[in-house]
Amino acid sequence: MLSNQPDGGKRSSLHGHWSSRMAFILAVTGSAVGLGNIWKFPYIAGQNGGGAFVLVYLVCVIVIGMPVMMSEILIGRRGRRNPVATMKLLGEEEGSSSKWGWVGGMGVIAGIFILSYYSVIAGWTLAYVVKSATGTFAGASPEAVGAAFDSFVGDWRLIALCHTIFMGLTVFVVARGVERGLEQAVRFMVPALLLLMLVLLGYSISTGYFGQGVAFMFTPDFERLTWGSVLAALGQAFFTLSIGMGAVMAYGAYLPEETSITGASAAVVTADTGIAILAGLAIFPLVFANGLTPADGPGLVFNTLPLAFGQMAGGVFFSTIFFVLLSFAAWTSAIGLMEPAVAWIVERFNKTRAQACVGVGLLIWILGFGSVLSFNVLADTTFLAGTIFDNVDYLTSNIMLPLGGLLITIFAGWVMCRNSTSDELGNSGGLFRSWRMLARFVAPIGILLVLINAVL
Ligand code: PFF
């Protein structure tokens, strides 16, 4: 049984603990680094005009993302339960209301919806492992690479199969528990991914279009910045850091008492942002070198990187490794997306991890067909934000995650007493005061301002 002291200090988690500080950092980094950095960041930046968007994104990561992440971890560690139960318990303990559990509930739902399309795109990366290894892209022209992508996503049965395989792999790992295997996978994957991004960067520089790519990414043209693109930048900051939905909170529940939350958060934010910027720097020069358009949408990575690999010496090898690593990165993120729902079902309904995983996995797999069909059969069926995929993405990244982040910072900054938070952050000096200012004022006001202006 879990102990339930009101001081919250010595609770332990039902699901086990990370073996070390490094294990926790690796797990959160594994959840943060994924398709969001390499697939999503470049295409969202491209659609929103580059420079100014990237700047707003970086500001959002630092002044909103960082305090939200710290808040999530400290709440998770103090409650030591799934996000729903933790928010409920702490809400009561801090003399507010058990209704705070609903914030955790929204996170559980957001995770399920995000994974429903995330798994589809991750399925594409699996297919691209095979395509790369069989030499599909060797020496291919931009037109051929583009046509290969279009005909691939046009075949709904094929991408449904890839989605099925990826969900199967995800359910398998989550069912096995928190820690086993995950640490090892991330320890190897993140450095390897970084290395391959550097290889790609080297190639990008050699195209002669590097300056143009850099200019696109870093020359802000504020004329083009709309509230819609500011919201997209905010949503991307949440998505890429895995915050606003309780995933990091769920991981925080397994964090040993003595680990520094500030240090761990800073490490994760730095690694995640670095990989996204690197991906942009590798991809945009390729876009310009090959006469493609930055605003190409979700196919951008699949239309640019295989081209670069196709021209490179050893390209078949590098391309295969790259898509293997990207699939791995997606896999470790998918685990984070499922964790809140699974931990909730295990604790609330007394199910085994395996039962919870299969149930949640099936639900997500079925929901995923909405996104599978968005790229072919239902590509022309659009409403509100676009296709079913566009709507699920908009609703989760741009509405649910920022709203979750808003409520989480209000909870950590205003509902929890000063002592509870300084106790968890292990500090009452300048660093603590900065966090508290960001969590109480800057983050909530910033999020509200963007949400109100963009949505209304
Ligand atoms: N941060 C992941 C990515 O950038 O691909 C996506 C993600 C994973 C979001 C886990 C939320 C989450 F809980």
Side-chain angles (χ1 to χ4, degrees):
M1 280 295 288
L2 290 170
S3 59
N4 192 8
Q5 304 110 318
D7 76 352
K10 298 291 170 278
R11 263 179 216 125
S12 68
S13 162
L14 195 65
H15 307 269
H17 286 245
W18 304 106
S19 59
S20 66
R21 168 190 137 86
M22 197 58 195
F24 173 76
I25 294 183
L26 285 169
V28 182
T29 308
S31 156
V33 174
L35 297 174
N37 307 62
I38 292 169
W39 161 73
K40 201 172 186 197
F41 172 72
Y43 96 73
I44 300 271
Q47 283 178 333
N48 288 283
F53 170 92
V54 174
L55 193 73
V56 175
Y57 157 80
L58 290 173
V59 171
C60 288
V61 163
I62 296 165
V63 303
I64 297 177
M66 181 76 186
V68 172
M69 177 171 285
M70 290 171 64
S71 304
E72 271 201 41
I73 302 177
L74 80 87
I75 293 171
R77 183 164 73 181
R78 200 156 181 84
R80 293 264 188 235
R81 287 162 166 72
N82 71 74
V84 183
T86 285
M87 293 290 289
K88 200 169 149 196
L89 173 74
L90 295 188
E92 285 165 352
E93 246 176 45
E94 298 284 345
S96 178
S97 153
S98 62
K99 294 224 166 42
W100 283 101
W102 286 96
V103 178
M106 183 170 75
V108 167
I109 297 171
I112 289 173
F113 274 123
I114 294 176
L115 189 50
S116 80
Y117 77 78
Y118 201 83
S119 165
V120 175
I121 311 296
W124 298 0
T125 65
L126 286 179
Y128 268 61
V129 171
V130 179
K131 284 183 194 294
S132 299
T134 50
T136 310
F137 306 120
S141 65
E143 294 72 30
V145 171
F149 177 75
D150 292 341
S151 86
F152 169 63
V153 296
D155 184 347
W156 76 266
R157 285 184 193 82
L158 190 55
I159 61 174
L161 175 71
C162 299
H163 161 56
T164 308
I165 296 173
F166 185 80
M167 269 319 291
L169 291 170
T170 303
V171 167
F172 175 72
V173 191
V174 181
R176 290 187 60 204
V178 176
E179 203 173 305
R180 269 176 289 166
L182 187 64
E183 288 177 43
Q184 296 313 324
V186 180
R187 198 183 287 273
F188 157 81
M189 179 195 82
V190 172
L193 203 55
L194 211 62
L195 205 73
L196 263 178
M197 296 308 303
L198 289 174
V199 171
L200 276 169
L201 187 66
Y203 179 83
S204 270
I205 292 172
S206 79
T207 59
Y209 284 81
F210 189 64
Q212 206 173 328
V214 172
F216 179 77
M217 268 182 78
F218 294 113
T219 314
D221 175 2
F222 290 105
E223 302 268 284
R224 296 198 52 184
L225 203 63
T226 61
W227 278 109
S229 45
V230 174
L231 179 62
L234 179 70
Q236 174 61 17
F238 273 87
F239 183 87
T240 192
L241 296 174
S242 307
I243 52 177
M245 55 153 280
V248 175
M249 198 185 290
Y251 281 4
Y254 319 135
L255 185 64
E257 219 48 60
E258 59 288 352
T259 306
S260 153
I261 291 177
T262 313
S265 304
V268 174
V269 169
T270 308
D272 188 78
T273 309
I275 291 189
I277 296 293
L278 213 54
L281 286 177
I283 286 168
F284 287 116
L286 296 171
V287 169
F288 297 118
N290 292 290
L292 305 170
T293 35
D296 228 10
L300 191 65
V301 174
F302 297 94
N303 284 327
T304 46
L305 296 189
L307 260 179
F309 288 122
Q311 312 298 323
M312 241 181 243
V316 170
F317 173 77
F318 282 132
S319 180
T320 310
I321 300 286
F322 174 80
F323 282 108
V324 167
L325 288 172
L326 191 54
S327 307
F328 253 113
W331 200 19
T332 55
S333 297
I335 293 165
L337 284 162
M338 260 186 97
E339 185 60 30
V342 169
W344 176 63
I345 290 178
V346 169
E347 290 173 35
R348 177 74 174 70
F349 302 101
N350 243 324
K351 298 285 176 207
T352 63
R353 256 192 108 76
Q355 288 167 333
C357 284
V358 172
V360 174
L362 263 176
L363 174 66
I364 294 171
W365 178 72
I366 294 168
L367 288 175
F369 276 82
S371 293
V372 164
L373 298 175
S374 295
F375 296 94
N376 33 67
V377 182
L378 298 180
D380 296 324
T381 309
T382 55
F383 54 101
L384 299 172
T387 60
I388 297 176
F389 159 78
D390 293 324
N391 278 289
V392 177
D393 179 32
Y394 188 90
L395 177 70
T396 49
S397 297
N398 293 7
I399 310 281
M400 291 175 92
L401 298 186
L403 202 59
L406 173 68
L407 295 169
I408 287 167
T409 47
I410 290 178
F411 187 80
W414 295 94
V415 175
M416 290 179 80
C417 67
R418 198 174 196 282
N419 286 348
S420 306
T421 48
S422 72
D423 188 27
E424 287 303 327
L425 292 177
N427 180 321
S428 49
L431 219 55
F432 174 73
R433 282 199 299 275
S434 312
W435 166 79
R436 201 145 187 268
M437 224 222 359
L438 291 174
R440 281 164 74 94
F441 301 104
V442 179
I445 294 172
I447 296 170
L448 258 183
L449 205 71
V450 179
L451 274 178
I452 289 174
N453 276 298
V455 179
L456 310 178

